[in-house]
């Protein structure tokens, strides 16, 4: 496959001022600090994908919905399709490198309503991702405290840990994008080294390992559904949930040097590096299972923690859990950065209630402070049902997937529909643009349907998949608010709201 990343000579050497000029051409006055390099941009998407968060947090879910074979082969297959989605999205990102990202692309290529609904779906997914990531980190922290001090990880205790993590991430994001970039760069090496250490230790220390036939062919169905194909399809949620959030590179493009190239590359690189490392991690964990049923019913509430305890003992498990928790904290911090930029951008175009408040930027750090706080507060509210329902966390992860995944496909579909009217950026797919684009759109359509389906039987109030309700709720909210805000909403150069842009440029506190 021949993919062009520099249609214009010297794309890598494009001066920063040209990116600022490009942003003005797209209709926005630069107000954010462009202090992130190419590695930092890749690092934020890689940190948000976070195989040590998604794979570890949903490993127990995977053990019941298909077991080892679905986890391993599902990861391989889903990763391939997600790479197609990422490449197609990267091509559009190169043409429209703005903080609004997906909704701005959809607005430009399809019109105001396309942009409006894409933005609301994207926002739902990003806020659901913060809730899912940080609540997962709270679960693992509770498991570690249980292991060390006999701490009882009740839902109430877990919620307290979760709120503390949200507050830490909010504060870290208030210091500016340079700190966020540094933390994300550390996160890349932490994730890669962490996977290598965990897998190596699990390969060397335990005296017993599962056979290759168990790891790659064993099918386990504890869902209550009888159809193995249905169960395997539902089991793909582990991989699809983990492969979310790579649009973070696009959302940080207004703070990235040479964003027309580096943001696109950041998306694609974050996916393929995660694809390889995640497969290694899942294989290492599965080979090291000592007692399958005991791992599922662990007192820690976190099956990977039990795998580590059985295989390495308490001390070894503690050390490995510290690696995982740190990775999850890096991931949550990166997701808060991405979500807050989406809130800022959507408010900049007057799409949210109270937009004038959420688009304010700190003069000292050039960070959208209020957008950061709104992101963590809403994420906290999304996780509150976990106090009352054991299945609520699964619903939060489904909300993330059902919000953000369709939002990826909309600008890709609109680009395909636009045909030659789409003016590609310096990073593009060349003759592979259409086939990869259609593969991406079809895949997203399939998984969107899959993740609206119930995950366990019988379907009760506690076991229901609430993703469908969340999807309907956000679409109803978006529709109602459309009739209130449609006169003020609009991307600037397309709809001429130059006056609002001047106000936003001056709205630095």
């Amino acid at each position: 496959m021949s993919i062009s990343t520099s249609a214009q000579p010297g794309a890598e050497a494009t001066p920063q001022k040209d990116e600022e000029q490009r942003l003005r051409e797209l209709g926005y006055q630069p107000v954010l600090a462009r202090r992130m390099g190419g590695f930092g941009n890749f690092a934020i998407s890689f940190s948000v994908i976070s195989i040590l968060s998604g794979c570890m947090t949903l490993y127990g879910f995977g053990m019941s919905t298909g077991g080892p074979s679905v986890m391993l082969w599902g990861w391989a297959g889903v990763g391939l399709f997600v790479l197609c989605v990422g490449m197609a999205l990267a091509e559009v990102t190169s043409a429209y490198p703005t903080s609004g990202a997906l909704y701005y692309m959809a607005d430009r290529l399809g019109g105001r309503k396309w942009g409006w609904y894409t933005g609301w779906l994207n926002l739902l997914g990003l806020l659901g991702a913060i809730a899912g990531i940080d609540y997962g980190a709270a679960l693992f922290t509770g498991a570690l405290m249980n292991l060390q001090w006999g701490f009882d990880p009740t839902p109430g205790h877990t919620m307290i840990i979760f709120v503390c993590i949200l507050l830490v991430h909010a504060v870290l994001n208030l210091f500016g994008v340079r700190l966020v970039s540094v933390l994300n760069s550390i996160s890349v090496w932490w994730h890669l080294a962490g996977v290598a250490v965990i897998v190596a230790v699990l390969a060397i220390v335990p005296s017993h390992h599962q056979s290759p036939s168990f790891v790659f062919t064993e099918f386990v169905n504890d869902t209550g559904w009888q159809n193995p194909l249905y169960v395997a399809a539902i089991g793909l949620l582990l991989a699809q949930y983990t492969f979310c959030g790579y649009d973070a590179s696009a959302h940080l493009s207004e703070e990235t040097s040479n964003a027309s190239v580096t943001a696109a590359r950041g998306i694609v690189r974050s996916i393929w590096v995660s694809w390889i490392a995640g497969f290694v991690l899942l294989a290492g964990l599965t080979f090291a299972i000592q007692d399958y049923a005991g791992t599922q019913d662990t007192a820690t509430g976190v099956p990977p923690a039990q795998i580590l305890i059985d295989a390495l003992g308490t001390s070894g498990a503690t050390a490995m859990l510290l690696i995982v928790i740190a990775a999850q904290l890096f991931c949550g911090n990166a997701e808060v950065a991405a979500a807050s930029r989406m809130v800022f951008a959507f408010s900049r175009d007057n799409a949210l209630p109270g937009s004038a408040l959420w688009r304010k930027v700190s003069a000292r750090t050039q960070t959208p402070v209020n957008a950061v706080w709104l992101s963590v507060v809403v994420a906290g509210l999304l996780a509150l049902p976990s106090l009352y329902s054991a299945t609520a966390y699964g619903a939060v992860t489904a909300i993330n997937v059902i919000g953000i995944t369709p939002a990826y496909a909309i600008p890709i579909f609109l680009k395909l529909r636009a045909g030659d009217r789409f003016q590609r950026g310096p990073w593009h797919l060349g003759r592979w643009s259409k086939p990869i684009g259609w593969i991406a759109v079809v895949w997203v359509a399939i998984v969107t349907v899959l993740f609206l389906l119930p995950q366990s039987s019988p379907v009760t109030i506690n076991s229901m998949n609430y993703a469908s309700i969340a999807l309907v709720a956000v679409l109803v909210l978006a529709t109602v608010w459309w009739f209130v805000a449609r006169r003020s909403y609009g991307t600037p150069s397309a709809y001429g709201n130059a006056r609002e842009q001047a106000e936003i440029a001056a709205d630095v506190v």
Side-chain angles (χ1 to χ4, degrees), residues 51-69:
I51 52 177
L52 284 174
S53 178
C55 291
M56 300 292 273
T57 304
L58 283 178
Y59 191 86
F61 174 86
M63 293 182 76
S64 300
T65 52
S69 60

mmCIF file of all heavy atoms in Angstrom, residues 51-69:
data_model
loop_
_atom_site.group_PDB
_atom_site.id
_atom_site.type_symbol
_atom_site.label_atom_id
_atom_site.label_comp_id
_atom_site.label_asym_id
_atom_site.label_seq_id
_atom_site.Cartn_x
_atom_site.Cartn_y
_atom_site.Cartn_z
ATOM 1 N N ILE A 51 -3.761 0.254 26.223
ATOM 2 C CA ILE A 51 -4.007 -1.184 26.330
ATOM 3 C C ILE A 51 -3.968 -1.665 27.772
ATOM 4 O O ILE A 51 -4.660 -2.628 28.138
ATOM 5 C CB ILE A 51 -2.986 -1.963 25.477
ATOM 6 C CG1 ILE A 51 -1.558 -1.530 25.825
ATOM 7 C CG2 ILE A 51 -3.273 -1.772 24.004
ATOM 8 C CD1 ILE A 51 -0.488 -2.278 25.090
ATOM 9 N N LEU A 52 -3.202 -1.002 28.620
ATOM 10 C CA LEU A 52 -3.147 -1.399 30.026
ATOM 11 C C LEU A 52 -4.374 -0.915 30.794
ATOM 12 O O LEU A 52 -4.569 -1.287 31.951
ATOM 13 C CB LEU A 52 -1.879 -0.859 30.691
ATOM 14 C CG LEU A 52 -0.589 -1.605 30.340
ATOM 15 C CD1 LEU A 52 0.622 -0.901 30.920
ATOM 16 C CD2 LEU A 52 -0.647 -3.050 30.831
ATOM 17 N N SER A 53 -5.201 -0.108 30.164
ATOM 18 C CA SER A 53 -6.480 0.270 30.756
ATOM 19 C C SER A 53 -7.603 -0.581 30.171
ATOM 20 O O SER A 53 -8.266 -1.323 30.873
ATOM 21 C CB SER A 53 -6.756 1.755 30.510
ATOM 22 O OG SER A 53 -7.999 2.124 31.041
ATOM 23 N N GLY A 54 -7.801 -0.489 28.858
ATOM 24 C CA GLY A 54 -8.907 -1.196 28.222
ATOM 25 C C GLY A 54 -8.817 -2.708 28.336
ATOM 26 O O GLY A 54 -9.766 -3.376 28.762
ATOM 27 N N CYS A 55 -7.675 -3.263 27.973
ATOM 28 C CA CYS A 55 -7.524 -4.726 28.007
ATOM 29 C C CYS A 55 -7.662 -5.274 29.419
ATOM 30 O O CYS A 55 -8.318 -6.294 29.656
ATOM 31 C CB CYS A 55 -6.158 -5.131 27.444
ATOM 32 S SG CYS A 55 -5.963 -4.849 25.689
ATOM 33 N N MET A 56 -7.032 -4.603 30.373
ATOM 34 C CA MET A 56 -7.050 -5.097 31.747
ATOM 35 C C MET A 56 -8.415 -4.896 32.400
ATOM 36 O O MET A 56 -8.918 -5.772 33.093
ATOM 37 C CB MET A 56 -5.971 -4.381 32.566
ATOM 38 C CG MET A 56 -4.558 -4.564 32.046
ATOM 39 S SD MET A 56 -3.941 -6.261 32.221
ATOM 40 C CE MET A 56 -3.273 -6.219 33.879
ATOM 41 N N THR A 57 -9.030 -3.748 32.168
ATOM 42 C CA THR A 57 -10.308 -3.450 32.811
ATOM 43 C C THR A 57 -11.422 -4.355 32.308
ATOM 44 O O THR A 57 -12.280 -4.787 33.082
ATOM 45 C CB THR A 57 -10.686 -1.974 32.572
ATOM 46 O OG1 THR A 57 -9.626 -1.141 33.041
ATOM 47 C CG2 THR A 57 -11.951 -1.616 33.322
ATOM 48 N N LEU A 58 -11.441 -4.652 31.024
ATOM 49 C CA LEU A 58 -12.512 -5.463 30.450
ATOM 50 C C LEU A 58 -12.127 -6.927 30.265
ATOM 51 O O LEU A 58 -12.871 -7.681 29.636
ATOM 52 C CB LEU A 58 -12.949 -4.866 29.105
ATOM 53 C CG LEU A 58 -13.842 -3.626 29.185
ATOM 54 C CD1 LEU A 58 -14.168 -3.117 27.806
ATOM 55 C CD2 LEU A 58 -15.122 -3.937 29.940
ATOM 56 N N TYR A 59 -10.992 -7.323 30.827
ATOM 57 C CA TYR A 59 -10.569 -8.716 30.662
ATOM 58 C C TYR A 59 -11.608 -9.679 31.250
ATOM 59 O O TYR A 59 -11.903 -10.724 30.661
ATOM 60 C CB TYR A 59 -9.203 -8.935 31.323
ATOM 61 C CG TYR A 59 -8.576 -10.263 30.972
ATOM 62 C CD1 TYR A 59 -7.802 -10.401 29.820
ATOM 63 C CD2 TYR A 59 -8.765 -11.382 31.776
ATOM 64 C CE1 TYR A 59 -7.234 -11.610 29.480
ATOM 65 C CE2 TYR A 59 -8.199 -12.611 31.450
ATOM 66 C CZ TYR A 59 -7.436 -12.721 30.305
ATOM 67 O OH TYR A 59 -6.881 -13.931 29.963
ATOM 68 N N GLY A 60 -12.167 -9.330 32.397
ATOM 69 C CA GLY A 60 -13.191 -10.183 33.007
ATOM 70 C C GLY A 60 -14.414 -10.313 32.125
ATOM 71 O O GLY A 60 -15.018 -11.388 32.027
ATOM 72 N N PHE A 61 -14.800 -9.226 31.469
ATOM 73 C CA PHE A 61 -15.908 -9.270 30.522
ATOM 74 C C PHE A 61 -15.593 -10.239 29.389
ATOM 75 O O PHE A 61 -16.429 -11.053 28.988
ATOM 76 C CB PHE A 61 -16.144 -7.861 29.982
ATOM 77 C CG PHE A 61 -17.166 -7.778 28.880
ATOM 78 C CD1 PHE A 61 -18.508 -7.652 29.168
ATOM 79 C CD2 PHE A 61 -16.771 -7.813 27.548
ATOM 80 C CE1 PHE A 61 -19.452 -7.578 28.144
ATOM 81 C CE2 PHE A 61 -17.697 -7.733 26.525
ATOM 82 C CZ PHE A 61 -19.041 -7.616 26.826
ATOM 83 N N GLY A 62 -14.361 -10.177 28.888
ATOM 84 C CA GLY A 62 -13.962 -11.063 27.805
ATOM 85 C C GLY A 62 -13.939 -12.524 28.211
ATOM 86 O O GLY A 62 -14.226 -13.405 27.395
ATOM 87 N N MET A 63 -13.611 -12.804 29.476
ATOM 88 C CA MET A 63 -13.582 -14.181 29.952
ATOM 89 C C MET A 63 -14.953 -14.840 29.882
ATOM 90 O O MET A 63 -15.060 -16.060 29.705
ATOM 91 C CB MET A 63 -13.065 -14.237 31.395
ATOM 92 C CG MET A 63 -11.607 -13.854 31.553
ATOM 93 S SD MET A 63 -11.037 -13.994 33.268
ATOM 94 C CE MET A 63 -10.879 -15.791 33.409
ATOM 95 N N SER A 64 -16.013 -14.044 30.006
ATOM 96 C CA SER A 64 -17.380 -14.585 29.994
ATOM 97 C C SER A 64 -18.018 -14.555 28.609
ATOM 98 O O SER A 64 -18.889 -15.358 28.310
ATOM 99 C CB SER A 64 -18.256 -13.785 30.969
ATOM 100 O OG SER A 64 -17.757 -13.869 32.285
ATOM 101 N N THR A 65 -17.592 -13.630 27.760
ATOM 102 C CA THR A 65 -18.224 -13.465 26.447
ATOM 103 C C THR A 65 -17.323 -14.022 25.346
ATOM 104 O O THR A 65 -16.806 -13.277 24.510
ATOM 105 C CB THR A 65 -18.520 -11.977 26.178
ATOM 106 O OG1 THR A 65 -17.307 -11.232 26.392
ATOM 107 C CG2 THR A 65 -19.583 -11.440 27.104
ATOM 108 N N GLY A 66 -17.137 -15.325 25.372
ATOM 109 C CA GLY A 66 -16.339 -15.992 24.352
ATOM 110 C C GLY A 66 -15.044 -16.565 24.869
ATOM 111 O O GLY A 66 -14.506 -17.516 24.303
ATOM 112 N N GLY A 67 -14.500 -15.978 25.929
ATOM 113 C CA GLY A 67 -13.285 -16.526 26.522
ATOM 114 C C GLY A 67 -12.031 -16.262 25.703
ATOM 115 O O GLY A 67 -11.987 -15.349 24.861
ATOM 116 N N PRO A 68 -10.989 -17.054 25.922
ATOM 117 C CA PRO A 68 -9.679 -16.810 25.302
ATOM 118 C C PRO A 68 -9.700 -16.662 23.786
ATOM 119 O O PRO A 68 -9.063 -15.756 23.241
ATOM 120 C CB PRO A 68 -8.865 -18.039 25.735
ATOM 121 C CG PRO A 68 -9.475 -18.443 27.037
ATOM 122 C CD PRO A 68 -10.945 -18.177 26.879
ATOM 123 N N SER A 69 -10.395 -17.548 23.106
ATOM 124 C CA SER A 69 -10.347 -17.505 21.641
ATOM 125 C C SER A 69 -10.917 -16.210 21.087
ATOM 126 O O SER A 69 -10.359 -15.617 20.152
ATOM 127 C CB SER A 69 -11.115 -18.698 21.052
ATOM 128 O OG SER A 69 -12.477 -18.674 21.456
#
